[in-house]
Structures are given as structure tokens and as C-alpha cells.
Amino acid sequence: MPAPAVTVCIPTYNYGHYLGGAIASVLDQTFEDFELLIADDVSSDDTEEVVRPFLTDSRVQFLPNEVNSGMFANFNRCVKLARGKYIINPGGRSTGRSKLADRFPMSPLGG
């Protein structure tokens, strides 16, 4: 599989309540050449259960850590595993009201 243009990184820790909306927002983009990496830092809430239904989309990967590594190490892990030319971090609470292509009109994403 060729590398996507964009990697969307969502590092998370106990954001299950917000995560479903953030994932749905990313998947609702009109721009489709992206991968979505969700790096979980050993959440104790329902994060994994929230992510599971989205794994049917081949662009979505769930990357659970084996031990809690902290916010910055978790984000760095997500970036390290990214394959896209560009990396975006919308945050775990993002609703992503605007489309990726609209947010980056001067980049290849905007045409």
C-alpha cells in the first residue's frame, strides 16, 4: 500500500467520551488520502471499545501502548509511525468542522 499524503495522529489517554466524534470527523473528510493513527496510552476507560467499530476502515489504525509512556512520548510514537508526507494532530476532542482541504488551501491538499 502506498504511503498516504497525510497522517492524522490522535494520541489519547482516557478520552473515550470524545474520541468517537473526533474519529468520525476525520473520516467525514472529503479528502481521502490519509491514514488515521490512534495511539492509546493505556487508557482505563472505554477508549478501545469506542475505536473498535472504526477499524473496519482500512485507513484507521489503533496503536495501544503496553505501558503508560506519558503524553509527549505517546505523541512522538504516533509521529514516528506516521507514513504521510504531512502530519496533523486534531486533538482527541476535535469536531473537525472544516475539511482538511479547506484548511490547507495552499498545500497539495487544497488542489
Side-chain angles (χ1 to χ4, degrees), residues 28-78:
D28 189 39
Q29 301 296 314
T30 55
F31 180 80
E32 296 183 353
D33 188 14
F34 66 86
E35 66 180 349
L36 171 57
L37 306 182
I38 303 158
D40 181 50
D41 205 14
V42 194
S43 293
S44 59
D45 67 355
D46 62 344
T47 291
E48 185 172 356
E49 290 78 21
V50 169
V51 172
R52 192 173 293 124
F54 296 101
L55 295 176
T56 59
D57 188 314
S58 63
R59 299 171 295 178
V60 179
Q61 294 181 53
F62 183 59
L63 308 167
N65 292 336
E66 292 184 19
V67 296
N68 184 284
S69 58
M71 179 174 59
F72 296 112
N74 191 39
F75 177 75
N76 288 339
R77 176 174 178 250
C78 196

Side-chain angles (χ1 to χ4, degrees), residues 88-103:
I88 296 173
N89 174 7
R93 297 182 187 189
S94 174
T95 58
R97 292 183 183 114
S98 63
K99 302 296 183 198
L100 287 173
D102 296 337
R103 292 183 69 187

